[in-house]
Amino acid sequence: MATHTRLVLHLLLLFLFAVQEVRLVCVDVPSNSEAIVGRAMKLTCIYCMKREEISAETKVEWSYTSPDKEQMLIYLYDRHPLQPKDVEEQWKDRLTWNGSKDLQDLSIGIKNVTLNDTGTYECKVSRFFEFDSFKHSATKTTTIDLEVKREASRDTAALYSEIMMYVLLVFLTFWLLVEMIYCYRKISRSDEQAQDSATDYLAIPSENKENPGPAVTE
């Protein structure tokens, strides 16, 4: 009984460890490039870091270029998120910080999207590293060409990908449960067989154990 209990605990710990590792994975995904009038919109900007880069200082500049090629700075991150004091009236109180705590996700959100928000957005991320006496910096720029529409268009590819992702997740969870039940039952049967063998042995009279029978003589 103790053997299969230990095995179940080990499998549960392995499952929790796998879930934790998946949760910590950083994936560089592209941003949506289509927004709908009146809705909120997230401009995704991902800059994954290696483990040794977690302590880097990070600065972010979000800029917007209108269809008329007029460029302006609309949002900043320098130790904390902030909006430039001289930002255009179009952006005041409409931008929010949607980044992660570890600063691998440096996204921002737009509230109440309008047709005037169509244009090119640029996310410029600068990281500053310091390893003992060695200093290093790295920069990554993400460009998003956003088109604002009055009505949403159905993205069948994205819908299909999302459905397949959930189907795969359910399948993997079900497979793990089946494997755990199979191992549990297999160990239980082994324990029962061992107990039956021990019971059968103990049921043999002691004199039969000492004197298994007369010797066969010719």
Side-chain angles (χ1 to χ4, degrees), residues 47-75:
Y47 187 175
C48 297
M49 293 188 292
K50 299 178 183 178
R51 182 174 300 178
E52 63 271 14
E53 298 175 348
I54 296 297
S55 60
E57 181 182 353
T58 302
K59 294 183 179 180
V60 187
E61 295 181 354
W62 274 96
S63 60
Y64 166 75
T65 303
S66 66
D68 298 331
K69 305 303 179 183
E70 181 182 356
Q71 188 176 26
M72 61 193 75
L73 186 65
I74 60 174
Y75 210 82

Side-chain angles (χ1 to χ4, degrees), residues 1-174:
M1 188 67 176
T3 304
H4 70 257
T5 302
R6 287 197 299 270
L7 178 62
V8 171
L9 290 175
H10 288 166
L11 289 173
L12 287 174
L13 289 174
L14 180 62
F15 176 74
L16 293 174
F17 177 76
V19 171
Q20 182 73 8
E21 288 298 315
V22 171
R23 185 180 66 83
L24 294 176
V25 170
C26 174
V27 180
D28 191 352
V29 296
S31 175
N32 290 332
S33 57
E34 181 180 302
I36 309 302
V37 171
R39 298 185 184 179
M41 173 65 186
K42 180 180 179 179
L43 299 174
T44 304
C45 179
I46 305 293
Y47 187 175
C48 297
M49 293 188 292
K50 299 178 183 178
R51 182 174 300 178
E52 63 271 14
E53 298 175 348
I54 296 297
S55 60
E57 181 182 353
T58 302
K59 294 183 179 180
V60 187
E61 295 181 354
W62 274 96
S63 60
Y64 166 75
T65 303
S66 66
D68 298 331
K69 305 303 179 183
E70 181 182 356
Q71 188 176 26
M72 61 193 75
L73 186 65
I74 60 174
Y75 210 82
L76 294 169
Y77 183 96
D78 187 0
R79 300 181 185 275
H80 57 84
L82 57 94
Q83 196 168 38
K85 295 181 180 180
D86 57 347
V87 69
E88 296 287 336
E89 189 68 28
Q90 173 187 352
W91 305 107
K92 284 187 177 180
D93 302 322
R94 293 183 57 231
L95 300 179
T96 59
W97 176 254
N98 281 352
S100 60
K101 186 177 181 180
D102 60 4
L103 297 180
Q104 297 193 86
D105 184 352
L106 308 130
S107 307
I108 61 173
I110 306 177
K111 300 178 182 178
N112 192 21
V113 173
T114 67
L115 291 174
N116 293 331
D117 296 336
T118 296
T120 301
Y121 295 81
E122 187 176 88
C123 170
K124 182 180 179 182
V125 184
S126 300
R127 297 206 192 273
F128 303 91
F129 311 95
E130 185 171 351
F131 305 99
D132 296 330
S133 59
F134 175 72
K135 295 183 179 181
H136 176 67
S137 63
T139 303
K140 178 183 177 181
T141 302
T142 301
T143 302
I144 305 168
D145 293 319
L146 183 66
E147 181 182 2
V148 180
K149 297 183 177 181
R150 296 185 182 276
E151 296 181 356
S153 60
R154 189 173 182 82
D155 190 348
T156 55
L159 180 61
Y160 176 78
S161 299
E162 185 175 357
I163 293 174
M164 290 302 298
M165 179 186 67
Y166 285 111
V167 170
L168 180 61
L169 181 61
V170 171
F171 171 78
L172 291 175
T173 304
F174 178 75

